[in-house]
Amino acid sequence: MSDPRVSDPRALPRPGRTVVVGVVNVTPDSFSDGGRWYEPQAAIGHGRDLVAQGADLIDVGGESTRPGADRPSQDEELRRVLPVVESLAPLGVGISVDTMRPEVARQAVACGATLINDVSGGMADPQMLTTVAELGVPYLLMHWRGHSLDMQSRAVYHDVVTEVRDELARQVEVALAAGIAEQRLVLDPGLGFAKTAEHNWALLRRADFLDPLGLPVLWGVSRKAFLGRLLANGEQLRPAVERDDATVAVTTALALAGAWGVRTHTVRAHRDAIAVAEQLRHR
Ligand code: PMM
């Protein structure tokens, strides 16, 4: 299969297996790796390392979305994100920017970003969807019910699978009406965003639940608290950086279920797991 990035750097990667999106958090306070890649040079070096490990896309974020997090100003977010995007863009992989702000999206695309990852699915700022439509880049639309400060109070569902699917379907309609092309949309169930551990597991047990919407699906499982709880030692959650093996186990299951992509903090082990899953799926 020819690599679509060669002909159109802004096309969604379709390598014929589950895509691996490597995370570079340029934040002082992300739950998973808070502060480790906060300095631009550290973030750029880490991004290069993830590319060398086989990442299909690098997701650069300047705002922590951990439960209870405060938002940085727009200027601060731009200061964190733009130099990293600019340095990583020439490496030949797509660069996604994890932002809820249309101005950050606009400037990041001008610096070489090829995809916008909006954890609010266009709900945090109504200008985001029209901005992305204008920019003509792919858009990762995540299920979201509110900002991190109080999102866990919104983790109330009768049937999480049906409600997440219906809420995403509605937001897809809004995105299409704003002018985003259907072939540029990717969906994300938003594990941990206004969801308890039980909600996350219920969604993962039905990994094909978004198939009726007919769009590619990416899952952000990596190092999340529900894995820390699963692997807890008594009351003590397993620390975030010690949740990678469990994350790989979930990636294997998602690749077997045909997920379009996974968003992860480590790359190589996920590429290996996906290679195994492909053999099991197709041979
Ligand atoms: N999770 C986080 C941040 N951004 N984006 C998408 N599309 N999906 C996610 O699940 C997601 C995200 C939180 O994790 P991090 O702070 O470790 O990056």
Side-chain angles (χ1 to χ4, degrees):
M1 182 189 279
S2 71
D3 184 342
R5 288 171 300 177
V6 173
S7 49
D8 178 0
R10 291 178 180 184
L12 272 183
R14 298 271 191 183
R17 55 160 169 76
T18 297
V19 160
V20 179
V21 179
V23 179
V24 177
N25 284 320
V26 198
T27 56
D29 56 346
S30 287
F31 76 92
S32 51
D33 51 8
R36 259 193 100 184
W37 321 114
Y38 187 39
E39 290 304 319
Q41 285 317 314
I44 292 162
H46 184 53
R48 286 179 188 279
D49 191 31
L50 296 180
V51 173
Q53 290 178 38
D56 299 290
L57 280 161
I58 299 293
D59 188 41
V60 181
E63 171 173 356
S64 166
T65 48
R66 95 188 134 71
D70 280 330
R71 301 196 71 191
S73 69
Q74 177 169 295
D75 283 349
E76 174 62 13
E77 191 182 345
L78 286 165
R79 194 194 62 74
R80 292 177 187 178
V81 162
L82 295 185
V84 180
V85 171
E86 209 160 26
S87 295
L88 296 180
L91 295 185
V93 297
I95 306 294
S96 144
V97 170
D98 187 343
T99 186
M100 292 182 258
R101 291 184 165 124
E103 185 56 25
V104 176
R106 196 180 288 287
Q107 294 197 35
V109 168
C111 286
T114 56
L115 184 151
I116 299 304
N117 170 22
D118 177 2
V119 298
S120 84
M123 294 172 82
D125 187 323
Q127 299 303 315
M128 181 59 116
L129 297 173
T130 46
T131 302
V132 171
E134 253 174 62
L135 294 169
V137 291
Y139 182 64
L140 210 168
L141 189 162
M142 201 189 80
H143 178 261
W144 190 80
R145 284 186 163 183
H147 284 288
S148 303
L149 207 54
D150 61 353
M151 67 179 170
Q152 289 316 99
S153 67
R154 298 173 214 262
V156 181
Y157 302 85
H158 290 296
D159 173 354
V160 67
V161 169
T162 308
E163 284 167 64
V164 170
R165 181 167 56 220
D166 290 351
E167 288 169 34
L168 275 174
R170 269 201 298 282
Q171 209 51 23
V172 166
E173 290 306 316
V174 178
L176 294 174
I180 299 181
E182 194 171 2
Q183 71 270 19
R184 295 211 172 89
L185 283 174
V186 179
L187 300 180
D188 181 336
L191 298 185
F193 288 81
K195 291 168 199 81
T196 64
E198 230 357 276
H199 296 139
N200 295 337
W201 287 118
L203 294 170
L204 282 164
R205 279 183 210 112
R206 289 282 314 278
D208 60 353
F209 83 110
L210 292 174
D211 284 1
L213 303 189
L215 293 170
V217 177
L218 172 136
W219 295 77
V221 173
S222 195
R223 298 183 176 173
K224 287 199 172 160
F226 74 108
L227 296 177
R229 193 150 299 132
L230 177 74
L231 305 170
N233 183 3
E235 291 298 296
Q236 192 77 26
L237 294 197
R238 175 81 66 87
V241 292
E242 294 173 28
R243 299 172 191 164
D244 290 332
D245 296 340
T247 309
V248 172
V250 182
T251 287
T252 310
L254 290 172
L256 284 170
W260 174 80
V262 291
R263 180 182 178 278
T264 73
H265 297 86
T266 60
V267 167
R268 202 179 115 118
H270 295 270
R271 283 293 306 265
D272 291 356
I274 289 163
V276 170
E278 283 309 304
Q279 292 300 312
L280 298 174
R281 254 161 72 82
H282 297 304
R283 307 296 146 142

